[in-house]
Amino acid sequence: MLTHLVKAASCAAWGAAQHGTAALTGRRDETPRDRRRALSVLTFLARMGPVYIKLGQIAATRSDLLPPEWFTTLRALQDQAPHMKPATVRAVVERELKGPLEGTFRTFQMQPVASASVAQVHAAELRDGRKVAVKLVKDGVPEQIEESLRSLSTLLRLVHRGLPRARDLELPRRFDEIARLLRPQADMRNEARQQQRLRDNFAAHPYVRVPEVLPDLVTDRMLVMEFMDGIPAKRAEEVDLPRERLAQRLQDTVYTMLYMHGLSHGDPHPGNIMFTPGGDLILLDFGITVELSEDEKWGLSSFYYACSRKQWDTAVDRFTRHFVEAGTELAARRAEYDTQMAQVLRHHFDINSTRWSTVSYFNDVNKVLRRFNARYTTNFTKVELVFLSGEGFAAQLDPHMDIWGNARKFTDRYSPYMSEEVEERFTETFTQQMPTSLQMRDGARRTLVAPTHIDRYFFPSAFPLFVREASGGRLRDFDGNEYVDLHGGYGPHLLGYAHPVITAAIREAAGRGLVNGIGNPHEVELAERLVSAFPTADKAVLCNSGTEALLLAVRMCRGYRRRTMVAKFEGHYHGFSDQGMVSSWYRFSGDRNRPTPIAGCLGTNPSTVDGTLVLQYGDVPGLARLREHAEDLACVVLEPMPTSVVTLNVPFLTELRALCTELGIPLVFDEVVSGFRVAYGGAQTLAGVHPELTCLGKVIGGGLPCGAVVGRTDLIDMAKSTQDPFRDYETRVFAGGTFSGNSLTCAAGTATLRHLDENPHLYTQLEDRTQRLADMMGEALSKRDITCRLSARNTFFSLNFSHREAGLYRERMAGSNFKATIALAYYMRKHKVYLPEMHGFLLSAAHTPKDLDHIAHAFGKSLDDMLTDGLFVT
């Protein structure tokens, strides 16, 4: 609907300007008719004030809406609007400084370097020699904004009531939405906050720059920031980079802000962007910003992904669910609506995609919505503004650009699936390299669903490996290929495959007969070793997996506390139970500081979700929410060392430990992956912070299925019979598992822990080799100038092709180039390294220095392949 406002404002301005004064540029009447009209409109908008200038700025990005003379002339409004006189400038600066200008600035240019609708920018130098840009709100502008908004609102309401044909446009409501965007523009403190947030988001980005704010020199009407010199966008021909590349970078930047960051520059017109000579983008003027919630980001990404796959019914459903305010009429005629909207999507995203027009697309969607008395959500109106301004500017840079083609490359990059092009490339490669594995894959599909490898949720494996033999740190497939393995069965094979100590223990135990559900000495010895490894553990309960361990620990705490709510941390995966998957890997919701619990997958019991308090790992202030819910909480569960991001935040864990002790809430550590892998006794021994209960798995079975809960007597004894059946039902929890503590698994686990305990040097060796491999991989990335976050410690590696620091888990996931990560796994497979398609990988004690060299070489070759195949934006 914004396009209608632009058109209406332009037409109204032309009519009002028929008797206007000379244009800003001083051109005479002998210019062509379109030029004269455009100059008159320019004069009228400038005279009417900031709101009208803003509408003119938007119009100046739409070469597809207005005649060439119009949008060329109106571009002057983007950085050459009327400005304050020098005397007024000095008065404004000194009013904001509450002192003489010279006390803060060594030099100050009174002539602005740019002047837009609300503010003007001056170059200056601080007393310490730093060059800065000073942005000043023009005197009287806040009042003019309010007056203009009231006048325009009244006018549009009159048009709405008086012209029946205009009612479908919903101009008053849409204008109110735009007005909410325009009002904060005169608040420099708000702009400074948003500018610094955007700067943080783009820190280390390969080609986007945002000036740093000087917070001590920010007031309500003045913003002082780092001075960045650049080439104005309207002189893009001076940039040493092809215009089509600049256009693609601009579009990619807009999409990064919307899809990835959820915080976008709201008005990316040419007056708000400069270029460095080499083609970097400098973003300026953050008076208008657009924020998307996690749900909206998910909706936007999932909608466009469905469009890219031509799944029209799915796309209509996602778009309507996330971005349409639907009334009773749409609900009553839903089938008809779905058909018409699918036709629009098919036309623009498929039939007419090579001639993509964002304006036409939004117009056609709006026509369908109006037929069913529906409309966009308020926030999507803001997104529309960003798309229209950004893509309008990009089209000026490259009139022949393939907007949808570029958009598809972006949405493909930030979706957790391979593109068709990438999949075809690897199909050809692996049909030659490992045909037997692919044949076995196809055969398995007839009878087997393998959710841990072939059919993995969210990260499916298109080219799974079928292993004939595994030994040490290597795998061999049925075609004779040998791979250095960085998978390790997701963690249990710390000593490598077929380790002689473990193999001998299993052979001996199997020879004596597999015993389960009956006492055997191995389960007692394993329990003794587990308890002795953890300073605060008194007893152990054995089970069959990490998932079972977490289920059991939570049940123990609920029974002990007689409360049901569980506090967990966003992004922390505690097995495939309903509770363990709440707000885990895949989906987030709510404010970053107060996450809303959300089901990990379809089929989750809603009451389990509702009974979960979700916090952020590393957020000490956020722990105050534990006090709010202390009377309802059964326990707090977390990974002390989240292996998906490879971090160990000791101050945070220390604060959490103290708070749980104060509130009497049991603290449960999930060390299923980190236990005995990062150290003998797990991450808690490295941090010096210990819980009431520790959940274990992976390593403690020596490669066989195993899990355990170890901890304080009164909690562990919740699973111990009282020898009174009636009292058991009233005061104890049930812990089952036919194969829990079976002789074969416990023999393998005991042998593993004994070997680790007797060879502490293995941990030092593993850490040294982890660091060595990380250094070689980091050097390979730096040499190729590829932006990537690589975290590594204690055998764990987490790799993320993103310019953003890990930060919160949701920010890491939102910034992940899933396509590149998944593709890397297959490029490495091509070079005989087995890397899982997921977010991390592992070393084992069986990996030799020669293996590390092989991995590093394969990584470098894979990066070269990825650059050649265009997997990174440049």
Side-chain angles (χ1 to χ4, degrees):
M1 299 305 295
L2 183 63
T3 56
H4 295 294
L5 289 175
V6 172
K7 289 179 178 177
S10 299
C11 293
W14 161 240
Q18 290 302 298
H19 303 290
T21 60
L24 291 180
T25 57
R27 295 293 185 92
R28 298 180 180 178
D29 289 342
E30 60 264 20
T31 53
R33 183 177 62 178
D34 279 345
R35 178 68 167 171
R36 291 199 306 273
R37 289 182 175 181
L39 290 170
S40 297
V41 169
L42 179 67
T43 302
F44 170 78
L45 294 174
R47 188 174 66 243
M48 291 299 292
V51 171
Y52 293 85
I53 292 174
K54 178 59 63 181
L55 291 174
Q57 290 174 343
I58 297 171
T61 67
R62 301 314 314 181
S63 57
D64 48 355
L65 290 180
L66 302 174
E69 290 286 358
W70 282 60
F71 87 84
T72 300
T73 302
L74 293 179
R75 286 169 67 182
L77 294 171
Q78 293 168 347
D79 58 6
Q80 298 175 34
H83 54 80
M84 295 184 289
K85 296 179 180 179
T88 306
V89 170
R90 173 177 283 275
V92 168
V93 173
E94 294 186 340
R95 180 190 68 206
E96 298 304 310
L97 291 175
K98 295 182 172 57
L101 181 149
E102 289 77 11
T104 301
F105 300 103
R106 178 186 295 173
T107 61
F108 193 103
Q109 295 181 19
M110 291 297 172
Q111 185 72 17
V113 295
S115 180
S117 58
V118 172
Q120 58 192 59
V121 180
H122 297 259
E125 186 180 348
L126 295 175
R127 299 297 302 176
D128 61 11
R130 283 179 291 169
K131 291 184 177 180
V132 294
V134 182
K135 185 172 183 178
L136 301 172
V137 175
K138 299 173 185 178
D139 258 9
V141 159
E143 296 76 17
Q144 290 175 25
I145 288 176
E146 288 301 324
E147 182 179 348
S148 296
L149 291 178
R150 282 195 299 271
S151 299
L152 277 172
S153 179
T154 300
L155 174 62
L156 291 174
R157 279 167 171 74
L158 289 173
V159 171
H160 182 77
R161 287 198 296 267
L163 297 177
R165 292 183 61 186
R167 289 174 190 163
D168 287 343
L169 300 180
E170 293 279 355
L171 291 177
R173 194 179 77 87
R174 292 301 181 188
F175 183 77
D176 289 343
E177 294 165 3
I178 300 302
R180 281 194 288 272
L181 278 176
L182 296 177
R183 283 192 172 93
Q185 282 199 100
D187 182 352
M188 291 295 101
R189 292 188 189 276
N190 176 70
E191 180 168 338
R193 284 192 297 271
Q194 300 299 75
Q195 179 170 332
Q196 193 57 46
R197 289 177 64 192
L198 278 153
R199 175 181 166 81
D200 292 341
N201 285 342
F202 279 113
H205 191 278
Y207 57 79
V208 178
R209 307 284 176 260
V210 177
E212 182 180 6
V213 172
L214 278 61
D216 293 340
L217 293 175
V218 175
T219 69
D220 292 341
R221 297 290 178 261
M222 181 178 74
L223 192 166
V224 180
M225 70 194 89
E226 169 191 10
F227 183 86
M228 286 190 172
D229 199 6
I231 299 169
K234 63 186 178 183
R235 292 178 7 222
E237 67 278 358
E238 299 176 19
V239 179
D240 188 23
L241 198 71
R243 291 174 72 94
E244 57 269 22
R245 289 276 299 282
L246 287 178
Q248 185 176 357
R249 282 186 169 189
L250 173 62
Q251 188 180 355
D252 191 87
T253 299
V254 169
Y255 278 44
T256 296
M257 290 187 288
L258 288 173
Y259 287 86
M260 185 170 133
H261 299 164
L263 174 66
S264 175
H265 194 301
D267 193 16
H269 65 67
N272 290 336
I273 294 174
M274 296 192 300
F275 299 113
T276 66
D280 291 356
L281 277 68
I282 302 173
L283 303 184
L284 306 167
D285 192 349
F286 303 93
I288 297 177
T289 53
V290 177
E291 292 197 55
L292 295 179
S293 68
E294 288 296 321
D295 292 329
E296 288 170 323
K297 285 165 58 181
W298 178 274
L300 197 64
S301 298
S302 63
F303 163 66
Y304 278 109
Y305 185 72
C307 290
S308 72
R309 294 170 71 89
K310 302 179 183 180
Q311 298 170 339
W312 311 118
D313 292 342
T314 301
V316 171
D317 176 69
R318 289 172 178 172
F319 179 78
T320 306
R321 187 154 28 100
H322 290 282
F323 299 113
V324 174
E325 294 178 4
T328 56
E329 184 174 353
L330 190 151
R333 302 166 57 197
R334 182 58 191 258
E336 185 182 354
Y337 164 84
D338 286 350
T339 298
Q340 293 186 28
M341 190 64 81
Q343 289 173 348
V344 169
L345 298 183
R346 184 181 295 110
H347 172 76
H348 286 280
F349 289 98
D350 187 16
I351 299 171
N352 203 44
S353 62
T354 57
R355 298 185 299 277
W356 176 269
S357 168
T358 301
V359 173
S360 298
Y361 164 64
F362 280 125
N363 281 342
D364 289 347
V365 169
N366 272 303
K367 288 176 184 177
V368 175
L369 292 177
R370 290 199 299 272
R371 289 185 201 126
F372 295 89
N373 196 28
R375 56 186 61 86
Y376 289 144
T377 60
T378 298
N379 218 29
F380 197 76
T381 299
K382 303 173 186 177
V383 174
E384 180 189 16
L385 170 63
V386 177
F387 277 134
L388 288 171
S389 294
E391 292 179 1
F393 177 21
Q396 288 181 31
L397 291 169
D398 178 14
H400 305 293
M401 75 178 298
D402 182 356
I403 292 177
W404 170 234
N406 291 345
R408 182 175 177 182
K409 288 179 182 177
F410 186 94
T411 55
D412 181 48
R413 195 165 68 247
Y414 289 98
S415 65
Y417 304 95
M418 287 189 299
S419 66
E420 293 176 3
E421 296 85 353
V422 174
E423 189 165 6
E424 288 174 3
R425 189 178 304 133
F426 285 118
T427 296
E428 181 178 352
T429 296
F430 292 127
T431 298
Q432 297 293 321
Q433 179 175 316
M434 49 185 225
T436 306
S437 283
L438 299 190
Q439 291 169 11
M440 296 177 76
R441 173 201 65 186
D442 296 339
R445 284 173 174 167
R446 291 192 292 271
T447 55
L448 173 69
V449 173
T452 58
H453 48 104
I454 301 175
D455 305 299
R456 189 189 304 112
Y457 186 79
F458 215 77
F459 295 97
S461 179
F463 306 102
L465 191 68
F466 280 78
V467 178
R468 182 170 185 169
E469 182 183 359
S471 62
R474 294 183 172 246
L475 306 170
R476 278 166 285 281
D477 68 12
F478 285 84
D479 292 297
N481 299 300
E482 184 171 281
Y483 304 83
V484 176
D485 174 58
L486 294 177
H487 178 262
Y490 297 126
H493 302 290
L494 175 61
L495 297 178
Y497 296 99
H499 191 279
V501 167
I502 300 173
T503 301
I506 293 173
R507 186 181 296 114
E508 181 184 351
R512 290 199 300 267
L514 171 63
V515 174
N516 62 279
I518 307 176
N520 70 85
H522 296 300
E523 65 176 335
V524 177
E525 184 178 357
L526 180 59
E528 289 174 346
R529 286 193 171 274
L530 292 175
V531 168
S532 66
F534 297 92
T536 57
D538 303 315
K539 293 183 177 181
V541 177
L542 300 179
C543 53
N544 294 293
S545 69
T547 293
E548 286 187 18
L550 264 295
L551 279 167
L552 185 54
V554 169
R555 180 179 289 178
M556 286 173 172
C557 291
R558 282 178 170 151
Y560 182 82
R561 288 268 292 171
R562 306 296 175 102
R563 292 163 174 82
T564 58
M565 179 175 278
V566 173
K568 74 182 296 283
F569 290 78
E570 191 170 78
H572 290 207
Y573 173 75
H574 303 297
F576 59 81
S577 69
D578 286 0
Q579 187 78 70
M581 286 186 65
V582 171
S583 298
S584 59
W585 286 348
Y586 316 107
R587 185 80 159 83
F588 313 115
S589 185
D591 183 83
R592 67 190 299 277
N593 298 317
R594 298 181 72 89
T596 301
I598 190 167
C601 71
L602 185 68
T604 299
N605 188 333
S607 64
T608 301
V609 180
D610 295 339
T612 307
L613 175 67
V614 181
L615 307 171
Q616 296 286 17
Y617 183 89
D619 178 18
V620 172
L623 293 177
R625 298 177 68 201
L626 292 176
R627 293 187 185 279
E628 300 172 19
H629 298 274
E631 293 304 312
D632 302 314
L633 285 168
C635 59
V636 177
V637 181
L638 80 158
E639 297 175 72
M641 180 179 172
T643 53
S644 59
V645 293
V646 190
T647 184
L648 182 65
N649 191 326
V650 177
F652 172 75
L653 294 174
T654 302
E655 185 68 24
L656 174 62
R657 173 67 278 176
L659 189 57
C660 286
T661 299
E662 175 192 338
L663 299 174
I665 302 171
L667 180 60
V668 180
F669 276 2
D670 176 353
E671 294 229 47
V672 169
V673 180
S674 58
F676 294 100
R677 174 169 273 279
V678 301
Y680 196 85
Q684 57 191 273
T685 63
L686 298 178
V689 179
H690 301 280
E692 273 73 34
L693 295 177
T694 298
C695 296
L696 299 166
K698 308 293 186 189
V699 173
I700 70 166
L704 296 181
C706 191
V709 183
V710 302
R712 210 171 65 191
T713 297
D714 53 348
L715 284 164
I716 297 294
D717 278 354
M718 289 300 298
K720 180 180 180 180
S721 174
T722 64
Q723 308 301 313
D724 178 342
F726 299 100
R727 191 177 175 199
D728 277 2
Y729 185 79
E730 293 168 350
T731 66
R732 293 293 184 266
V733 302
F734 177 77
T738 300
F739 288 93
S740 298
N742 73 81
S743 60
L744 200 64
T745 295
C746 290
T750 299
T752 301
L753 298 189
R754 183 189 302 115
H755 185 77
L756 290 172
D757 191 22
E758 294 173 354
N759 294 276
H761 70 278
L762 289 176
Y763 289 105
T764 303
Q765 176 181 292
L766 280 164
E767 180 58 19
D768 290 344
R769 291 183 180 176
T770 299
Q771 191 57 53
R772 178 169 177 247
L773 179 57
D775 290 343
M776 288 191 288
M777 294 176 71
E779 184 179 349
L781 289 163
S782 178
K783 179 180 178 181
R784 292 160 179 83
D785 198 24
I786 294 175
T787 303
C788 180
R789 299 295 178 184
L790 177 65
S791 302
R793 63 172 297 172
N794 305 101
T795 77
F796 290 107
F797 289 76
S798 178
L799 184 146
N800 182 30
F801 290 106
S802 172
H803 61 274
R804 304 179 83 190
E805 293 285 356
L808 300 182
Y809 187 81
R810 66 167 60 183
E811 293 170 347
R812 179 184 180 86
M813 289 294 285
S816 294
N817 185 334
F818 290 116
K819 175 182 172 184
T821 302
I822 290 174
L824 174 66
Y826 298 129
Y827 283 110
M828 293 285 277
R829 207 160 297 177
K830 186 174 103 174
H831 295 294
K832 305 300 176 62
V833 174
Y834 187 82
L835 189 73
E837 292 92 340
M838 300 175 74
H839 47 72
F841 51 94
L842 305 148
L843 282 183
S844 77
H847 285 120
T848 66
K850 183 179 177 181
D851 290 333
L852 302 187
D853 291 338
H854 179 87
I855 295 166
H857 177 74
F859 184 64
K861 294 289 288 183
S862 297
L863 293 178
D864 290 336
D865 293 342
M866 295 169 79
L867 284 169
T868 300
D869 291 340
L871 267 77
F872 302 112
V873 176
T874 57

